[in-house]
Amino acid sequence: MKGIGGKMEQYVVFKSHDQLFGLPVTIVRRVVETNKFIPLPEVADYVLGVYEYEEQMLPIIDLGRKLFNDFTEQTQEAKVILCNWKEQALGIYVEKIVGIVYLETNDNEKELEKAKLKRGYVGKFLKMKDDVVISLELDYLFDNNEADGLVESLDDLEADQALKSSDSEDGENE
């Protein structure tokens, strides 16, 4: 199915700070209902902590805090979208899931680039009825230092857990 403006792709559409965003379904692993995260020391305040999923520790990013400097309210509608990011996974905490929708790119993108309004984390501008949905580019959501720091924190956490589990195994053998 193809419209006049461009090709159609399937997106998970969600709300953060009253703005509609979308992530291509190809990078979304699943949506989970939780607000219970394991806190990480010495990380940016938009990192809510980590969530254990399939024996892997995934960092959870509060999108409202990261983009709008405002924490996402913990409500029944708030969800975590687990996504593939930089050869690992990442959770994005959002206000509300709108749905999985086929969306089409529109021409706003060229205009915004000309006006220097397009930000790195904006992949495309998509049209959903009368609304504009911003397709998020996860790779540009963090600068290199932030991304490295996040990966480093996870590596430290995994190393600590490996150490603790080997310590408890040593204790059982005595």
Side-chain angles (χ1 to χ4, degrees), residues 100-155:
I100 297 173
V101 191
Y102 276 99
L103 297 174
E104 183 178 21
T105 55
N106 64 25
D107 296 330
N108 292 354
E109 214 166 324
K110 293 178 193 86
E111 296 304 314
L112 284 166
E113 277 178 14
K114 275 190 228 161
K116 304 267 189 274
L117 292 174
K118 187 173 174 193
R119 300 287 180 251
Y121 62 81
V122 174
K124 300 176 186 153
F125 291 92
L126 308 161
K127 197 87 172 118
M128 187 172 87
K129 296 183 183 121
D130 293 333
D131 294 316
V132 172
V133 176
I134 295 173
S135 170
L136 267 189
E137 286 289 331
L138 291 183
D139 287 347
Y140 298 104
L141 200 52
F142 311 100
D143 65 31
N144 286 338
N145 291 340
E146 290 171 328
D148 292 346
L150 201 51
V151 170
E152 223 170 83
S153 296
L154 288 174
D155 290 345

Side-chain angles (χ1 to χ4, degrees), residues 13-35:
V13 176
F14 55 93
K15 227 178 207 187
S16 183
H17 211 262
D18 291 326
Q19 171 62 54
L20 290 173
F21 290 95
L23 285 168
V25 293
T26 53
I27 68 165
V28 174
R29 292 169 73 169
R30 84 180 291 173
V31 174
V32 292
E33 294 185 34
T34 186
N35 58 12

